[in-house]
Amino acid sequence: MSDSKSTMKLVEYLDREGNLSRKGIDKLTGYVGEARQLVDRMKCEEMISFATSAVRDAANGEAVLDHVERETGIRLEILSGEDEARLTFLAVRRWYGWSAGRIINLDIGGGSLELTSGEDEDPEAAYSLLLGAGRLTHEWFDTDPPDRKKIALLRDYIDAELVAPAKHLRALGEADLAVATSKTFRTLARLTGAAPSSAGPRVRRTLTAPGLRQLIAFISRMTAADRAELEGVSANRSHQIVAGALVAEASMRSLGLEQVEICPWALREGIILRRLDGDLDGKG
């Protein structure tokens, strides 16, 4: 078994016209090439390759996919925002099981926010909004620490974007279990007192609305370098954790959630589970 990760932060390479820059394309191509080499070395029978918000929403997305394929031989599959949300929900459902009842799930990525609610493995409603932590940091913050007026304006913007999705999700019924996935939520939970990753995936971790509000007041006045010194905050994510915290707080507030459980499974596991389901059904 092997685990290898590389932080892309591709939304930071989008220009004003929405195109992924040459530097961003080269970074993505290099990573896909490295992944291909790892797959070959480990003699894997199959490589599942996909891209999400940054490439999906880039104006030159198709050209990016063509370039990566020419250079690496790998054609990345673009997941729609809804598919991304639904696959993440599948992973959450499998982790908690049927006894969890109605689940509502929140997932903050670099480029988008996914919201889902349902009682089955496939959610009744799935939303993908352009409210990712990296995207909002790139588009809204130009000082370090962020300007207080910009933070207030961003709060208002996030609230406005959440009105319609939150209204629909709440109309489906109260959740028996409120869940959050993604590195952003895990980091926020850690900063508010949750167990570290070294404690293992089965340790219960939660994030509360009061704790999150206190955390925002604290980290929004710090520089990215100072935030990177906090336990649980990686240097490559410290600059975007404020925007991520604002999205998390607004999402929980709009949905009336005072607490969310942190699920260790998310999109990656959802994709694997769906692929395994296909094999079991004779579709693989």
Side-chain angles (χ1 to χ4, degrees):
M1 181 176 178
S2 177
D3 189 356
S4 177
K5 295 182 180 181
S6 180
T7 302
M8 293 282 98
K9 297 187 291 185
L10 292 179
V11 290
E12 297 182 7
Y13 297 98
L14 294 174
D15 61 26
R16 292 181 179 179
E17 288 72 41
N19 291 299
L20 191 62
S21 70
R22 171 53 61 180
K23 187 174 182 180
I25 295 172
D26 289 344
K27 187 172 185 179
L28 174 61
T29 304
Y31 176 71
V32 174
E34 291 173 6
R36 175 65 183 270
Q37 293 174 8
L38 177 62
V39 166
D40 291 342
R41 286 200 305 273
M42 297 188 67
K43 303 185 186 306
C44 295
E45 295 183 3
E46 182 179 2
M47 180 176 181
I48 304 174
S49 309
F50 61 92
T52 56
S53 181
V55 179
R56 178 174 69 232
D57 301 316
N60 61 339
E62 281 300 317
V64 172
L65 297 178
D66 292 341
H67 177 84
V68 171
E69 185 175 18
R70 283 196 304 271
E71 296 297 318
T72 68
I74 300 297
R75 183 72 182 187
L76 294 173
E77 177 186 352
I78 295 291
L79 287 179
S80 70
E82 182 175 329
D83 284 343
E84 187 175 344
R86 291 183 180 279
L87 287 167
T88 301
F89 187 88
L90 170 64
V92 171
R93 171 59 71 188
R94 294 284 179 90
W95 179 267
Y96 289 104
W98 295 105
S99 62
R102 175 174 293 278
I103 290 176
I104 188 166
N105 187 64
L106 294 69
D107 184 286
I108 302 172
S112 60
L113 162 71
E114 276 68 50
L115 304 170
T116 46
S117 178
E119 297 179 327
D120 207 326
E121 288 197 335
D122 190 37
E124 295 166 48
Y127 287 93
S128 181
L129 309 174
L130 297 181
L131 297 176
R135 183 186 300 277
L136 295 182
T137 300
H138 179 62
E139 294 177 349
W140 286 80
F141 296 155
D142 52 12
T143 61
D144 186 24
D147 180 78
R148 290 187 180 182
K149 290 184 179 179
K150 286 286 186 69
I151 289 177
L153 289 171
L154 178 54
R155 265 198 172 109
D156 290 342
Y157 173 76
I158 297 169
D159 284 343
E161 293 295 299
L162 285 169
V163 170
K167 182 179 180 180
H168 182 200
L169 290 170
R170 296 184 76 159
L172 293 174
E174 184 176 351
D176 297 299
L177 179 64
V179 180
T181 48
S182 74
K183 177 65 173 178
T184 295
F185 271 111
R186 291 198 300 272
T187 299
L188 294 172
R190 180 72 187 103
L191 288 172
T192 55
S197 58
S198 59
R202 296 192 178 277
V203 173
R204 183 172 182 258
R205 297 173 175 86
T206 62
L207 175 65
T208 67
L212 183 53
R213 288 193 292 268
Q214 292 177 7
L215 178 64
I216 291 173
F218 176 60
I219 63 175
S220 62
R221 294 195 285 267
M222 302 173 69
T223 65
D226 288 337
R227 292 192 294 269
E229 296 298 320
L230 300 174
E231 186 176 355
V233 181
S234 60
N236 57 22
R237 291 180 181 270
S238 63
H239 69 294
Q240 65 183 45
I241 194 62
V242 173
L246 291 173
V247 174
E249 190 274 332
S251 300
M252 291 175 66
R253 175 163 37 80
S254 70
L255 294 167
L257 306 176
E258 283 298 305
Q259 177 176 292
V260 291
E261 299 265 348
I262 307 301
C263 179
W265 281 5
L267 176 60
R268 178 180 61 178
E269 287 76 17
I271 290 174
I272 293 171
L273 289 167
R274 180 60 72 219
R275 182 68 182 87
L276 291 174
D277 287 347
D279 282 344
L280 292 173
D281 293 338
K283 300 175 183 178

